């Protein structure tokens, strides 16, 4: 299997990109049923996400080259309201889809971890 390509300085247009969770870290709240839908204005990127245990979530951040630094807030089915901060790197898969590898740190919990999201075509 070919290793994903790191994206360079080429401009990413994330408007309308849909992703789902490919790998969920042990301290994560996202799951395979969680879908993210992105919007972008210049270097400001946002996404709404839902599914699995997440009733509603929102992230907003800055995109620099293929790196995304963002904050997120979410509400889950258990009634929790949580927030955190993440750094992610976009890669291009062999089939052309985008992959986002996210390293997160909860602000409302002591845990951290890594999630991997892949574009839905």
């Amino acid at each position: 299997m070919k290793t994903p390509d790191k994206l360079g300085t080429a401009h990413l247009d994330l408007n309308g990109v849909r992703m789902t969770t490919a790998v969920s870290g042990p301290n994560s709240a996202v799951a395979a049923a969680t879908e993210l839908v992105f919007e972008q204005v210049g270097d400001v990127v946002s996404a709404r996400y839902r599914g699995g245990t997440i009733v509603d979530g929102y992230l907003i951040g800055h995109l620099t080259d293929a790196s995304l630094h963002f904050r997120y807030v979410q509400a889950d089915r258990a009634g929790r309201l949580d927030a955190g901060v993440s750094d992610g790197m976009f890669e291009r898969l062999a089939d052309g889809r985008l992959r986002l590898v996210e390293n997160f740190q909860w602000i409302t919990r002591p845990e951290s971890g890594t999630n991997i999201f892949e574009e839905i075509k």
Side-chain angles (χ1 to χ4, degrees):
M1 185 167 150
K2 184 180 175 205
T3 304
D5 293 328
K6 299 288 185 197
L7 294 176
T9 57
H11 174 71
L12 282 176
D13 181 4
L14 298 172
N15 276 311
V17 170
R18 294 174 37 237
M19 295 184 130
T20 191
T21 310
V23 176
S24 177
N27 298 314
S28 179
V30 297
T34 307
E35 184 176 318
L36 298 86
V37 180
F38 288 85
E39 293 183 7
Q40 181 177 350
V41 178
D43 70 341
V44 176
V45 173
S46 62
R48 189 111 189 231
Y49 59 99
R50 296 180 170 145
T53 63
I54 299 172
V55 175
D56 200 4
Y58 187 78
L59 68 84
I60 188 163
H62 287 276
L63 181 67
T64 305
D65 297 326
S67 178
L68 180 63
H69 178 74
F70 62 94
R71 295 188 183 269
Y72 57 92
V73 292
Q74 64 189 41
D76 69 20
R77 296 193 188 287
R80 287 187 71 127
L81 294 174
D82 283 306
V85 62
S86 295
D87 285 302
M89 183 62 67
F90 284 97
E91 303 170 339
R92 181 81 58 192
L93 298 171
D95 63 6
R97 294 178 302 133
L98 287 173
R99 172 185 283 167
L100 173 62
V101 178
E102 171 210 19
N103 297 301
F104 66 88
Q105 173 65 59
W106 291 101
I107 295 172
T108 54
R109 307 180 192 185
E111 297 97 355
S112 62
T114 301
N115 294 316
I116 300 174
F117 303 97
E118 292 183 353
E119 186 175 6
I120 301 167
K121 284 287 185 180

